Amino acid sequence: PKTKDDLIKVYFPFTFFFHDAPQPLFVSNYEIDIKKAESCYRFIQNIFEELEDCRAFELLRTAYDRSNYLLTKQAKIIAMTCTHAGITYSNLIDLSFEYDNVLMEESAQILEIETFIPLLLQKNDKVKSRLKRVILLGDHNQLPPVVKNMAFQKYSHLDQSLFTRFVRLGIPYIELNQQGRARSSLAALYRWRYKELNDLPHVQTSDMFALANTGFVYDYQVINVENYQGKGETEPTPHFIQNLGEAEYIVAVYQYMRLLGVPASKISIITTYQGQKHLIKDVIRSRCTFNPLFGEPAKITTTDKFQGQQNDFILLSLVRTKVVGHIRDIRRLIVSMSRARFGLYVFCRQSIFSDCYELSPTFSILNQRPNKLLLVQGETYPTKRRIDEMIGSNKIMPVEDVFHLGSIVAHLAAFKLQQQKYFEMQQLKELNQQKQKEQEEQDDIERQMIDEQELSVSFPSAAAVHEQQQQQ
């Protein structure tokens, strides 16, 4: 090099490697060029570091070893259940698993002793723990952990989560004061249970919350279900409680919604008893599962199992007709009422639940609307009618009972089948017309080819005819 400024440009060994970088790579200025050379070196160094990370996969042959390597060396966020943490506890300790933060979701529904398992998955020295932060997310106003042994549950308070213990001890916590899941009117059913529960701005401004529920006058309603075939709740085996009337009514409403075009994935059916869940599944299986008009809803389950989930439309069966039952627990009521985003329809013996003091804040709101299901005639999903729009009395159809709704569903199903048959005939007609058109085009092509062949035929000469006669 002639000067110091040319030194980097002449002796830099990776010039060809960086041929696709903005050129010229070096500008014959030592201070600028040395910074560029250091930047290029760091780039190459990063490549070798990445190769070093991949080298482990050449040595580790089994998927189990490779997954453990990724878990302990590469993963930034690891998700698992408390149960799985307990199962793999010793394995994670042996792998020298390390982490700084623990985020525990639905922690109000986790047993207190289970809450400690994720906090102890790494080796700690005797002086201090590596763990820096534990964040518990949950709602102590909803259902606690499930403890089947009544002695442990009631007398040992084993159903109290660590989250709930902290709240009861007065440890400072942050309580969310805005919700964005449900319509404001639906949130009013459980808003009273929280200190200050307001709505996020999009609940008031978004069109999806402003539009009405297709085929229904109201976005929520309690539907009084009287005895069906002379029976209310039944108990085929101890603690296996069912209500056939509510099951039939709910399935009929589900069929009605499906016939209007509401997707099955947007409808869930929940109930407060296992027996009722199995009964509804049986009715759905016999009426809907194998019928392409209906299919199965997104979920049929109990309130306890549905905690932490949601759907656009919830059909809720409260089952009991003699006593209130275990929905007297306010936490179970809150879960039941807070699962729906756009529509909640509660099927029950209204007089039983309205007289319950614990449920009165919610049922006082539900009872402000008629206890007969009110339908809107002539709508299909998705409707353009707004939730606050007036409906003509000639379009409103009150449902007297499950038999009345059954006849409405049968009428709609027959119309839907007739409509589908008409569409199929139209499609078949169009298909036949298309085939006929294609056949005519093919005939025209063949006719044209014959005409061209006839035009290309040449007449024999007189000499050829004379020669043919001599040969004969």
Side-chain angles (χ1 to χ4, degrees):
K2 296 179 180 180
T3 63
K4 180 182 177 181
D5 290 336
D6 295 330
L7 190 66
I8 304 298
K9 185 176 182 179
V10 172
Y11 288 111
F12 185 72
F14 305 111
T15 303
F16 179 76
F17 180 79
F18 291 99
H19 72 278
D20 56 346
Q23 301 295 329
L25 187 61
F26 300 108
V27 294
S28 298
N29 183 309
Y30 182 80
E31 293 182 357
I32 296 175
D33 289 350
I34 193 66
K35 291 181 179 179
K36 287 187 176 181
E38 290 173 351
S39 177
C40 291
Y41 175 75
R42 286 194 298 271
F43 180 82
I44 294 172
Q45 195 174 30
N46 288 337
I47 293 175
F48 280 94
E49 288 177 357
E50 291 179 6
L51 290 173
E52 185 65 26
D53 291 337
C54 296
R55 180 170 174 76
F57 288 91
E58 297 178 2
L59 304 174
L60 302 173
R61 294 299 182 183
T62 66
Y64 177 76
D65 291 336
R66 290 178 177 180
S67 63
N68 283 339
Y69 173 78
L70 290 173
L71 182 70
T72 54
K73 302 298 183 184
Q74 299 293 326
K76 302 299 181 184
I77 300 175
I78 300 169
M80 69 178 75
T81 63
C82 290
T83 303
H84 184 76
I87 294 171
T88 59
Y89 171 79
S90 58
N91 182 44
L92 293 175
I93 293 293
D94 293 339
L95 291 172
S96 299
F97 184 53
E98 293 183 342
Y99 54 94
D100 298 321
N101 305 288
V102 172
L103 176 63
M104 203 171 301
E105 198 252 349
E106 286 291 349
S107 57
Q109 205 180 12
I110 302 172
L111 288 171
E112 189 168 33
I113 194 168
E114 283 184 328
T115 308
F116 290 101
I117 297 174
L119 311 183
L120 304 171
L121 299 179
Q122 57 186 341
K123 293 180 180 179
N124 298 311
D125 58 39
K126 296 181 180 180
V127 179
K128 63 179 181 179
S129 170
R130 177 188 172 90
L131 189 62
K132 296 181 176 64
R133 186 181 295 107
V134 178
I135 302 171
L136 303 179
L137 302 178
D139 186 354
H140 59 288
N141 291 315
Q142 296 188 24
L143 288 170
V146 177
V147 179
K148 294 185 177 180
N149 187 297
M150 295 301 292
F152 287 143
Q153 178 184 343
K154 298 297 183 183
Y155 300 106
S156 300
H157 295 293
L158 196 63
D159 63 338
Q160 179 178 251
S161 64
L162 183 64
F163 182 96
T164 305
R165 182 186 289 274
F166 284 159
V167 172
R168 293 180 63 182
L169 290 175
I171 293 175
Y173 63 92
I174 299 172
E175 185 171 2
L176 299 183
N177 58 1
Q178 289 185 310
Q179 68 87 27
R181 169 190 289 169
R183 299 183 195 272
S184 184
S185 56
L186 290 177
L189 297 173
Y190 51 88
R191 201 189 305 273
W192 57 270
R193 188 61 178 168
Y194 300 88
K195 292 180 180 178
E196 295 179 3
L197 184 62
N198 299 312
D199 301 321
L200 289 170
H202 78 276
V203 174
Q204 305 294 337
T205 58
S206 176
D207 286 340
M208 64 180 180
F209 290 102
L211 294 176
N213 296 341
T214 303
F216 294 96
V217 173
Y218 296 111
D219 52 355
Y220 68 85
Q221 225 183 328
V222 58
I223 296 95
N224 183 51
V225 182
E226 296 295 342
N227 287 349
Y228 179 78
Q229 297 177 347
K231 295 181 180 180
E233 67 175 74
T234 58
E235 196 170 358
T237 58
H239 310 296
F240 197 77
I241 302 172
Q242 297 179 334
N243 188 319
L244 182 59
E246 290 185 16
E248 291 283 0
Y249 213 140
I250 279 182
V251 173
V253 172
Y254 169 72
Q255 291 177 312
Y256 170 75
M257 295 175 73
R258 292 290 292 123
L259 290 169
L260 297 186
V262 181
S265 60
K266 295 183 179 293
I267 308 170
S268 291
I269 300 174
I270 63 175
T271 179
T272 48
Y273 288 88
Q274 284 282 354
Q276 185 73 349
K277 179 194 76 171
H278 291 293
L279 178 60
I280 293 172
K281 282 188 173 182
D282 289 341
V283 179
I284 287 285
R285 195 177 297 113
S286 62
R287 305 271 176 83
C288 306
T289 300
F290 303 107
N291 191 326
L293 290 177
F294 307 119
E296 292 190 354
K299 279 284 183 69
I300 304 174
T301 187
T302 60
T303 295
D304 297 42
K305 293 290 185 182
F306 205 66
Q307 180 166 331
Q309 303 177 55
Q310 63 182 31
N311 210 339
D312 289 356
F313 303 99
I314 296 295
L315 308 179
L316 171 64
S317 172
L318 297 184
V319 187
R320 304 306 295 267
T321 58
K322 298 176 181 177
V323 294
V324 172
H326 58 214
I327 201 171
R328 187 186 293 271
D329 187 336
I330 299 298
R331 297 170 296 185
R332 186 168 284 106
L333 174 73
I334 297 301
V335 174
S336 301
M337 296 294 149
S338 61
R339 300 304 97 197
R341 300 184 67 224
F342 302 133
L344 172 67
Y345 301 95
V346 183
F347 300 82
C348 66
R349 184 65 56 84
Q350 188 181 15
S351 58
I352 296 292
F353 298 94
S354 297
D355 292 340
C356 178
Y357 173 76
E358 290 86 351
L359 310 183
S360 59
T362 294
F363 270 84
S364 63
I365 300 173
L366 289 171
N367 291 337
Q368 292 174 10
R369 293 181 174 178
N371 62 4
K372 289 185 178 180
L373 185 63
L374 298 183
L375 307 179
V376 179
Q377 303 179 70
E379 285 191 338
T380 55
Y381 181 87
T383 182
K384 295 182 179 179
R385 176 172 58 90
R386 299 183 70 82
I387 193 71
D388 55 355
E389 187 177 326
M390 294 294 294
I391 308 170
S393 57
N394 60 326
K395 295 186 68 177
I396 297 177
M397 170 68 72
V399 177
E400 297 300 327
D401 52 30
V402 65
F403 300 105
H404 183 199
L405 183 58
S407 65
I408 293 173
V409 169
H411 177 77
L412 281 174
F415 175 76
K416 195 82 171 178
L417 288 171
Q418 185 179 2
Q419 195 178 44
Q420 285 186 353
K421 187 176 181 180
Y422 173 77
F423 287 148
E424 289 173 0
M425 291 177 63
Q426 288 293 109
Q427 289 176 353
L428 185 60
K429 185 178 179 181
E430 291 175 1
L431 184 61
N432 290 334
Q433 289 176 350
Q434 182 68 21
K435 286 182 178 179
Q436 185 178 358
K437 185 177 179 181
E438 291 175 356
Q439 185 63 40
E440 290 175 355
E441 291 176 354
Q442 185 67 26
D443 293 343
D444 290 341
I445 293 172
E446 291 178 358
R447 194 178 299 111
Q448 186 178 0
M449 291 175 63
I450 293 171
D451 293 341
E452 290 176 354
Q453 289 176 359
E454 291 175 352
L455 291 172
S456 64
V457 173
S458 59
F459 297 104
S461 63
V465 172
H466 180 69
E467 184 181 355
Q468 186 178 8
Q469 288 176 349
Q470 287 181 346
Q471 291 176 356
Q472 292 176 351

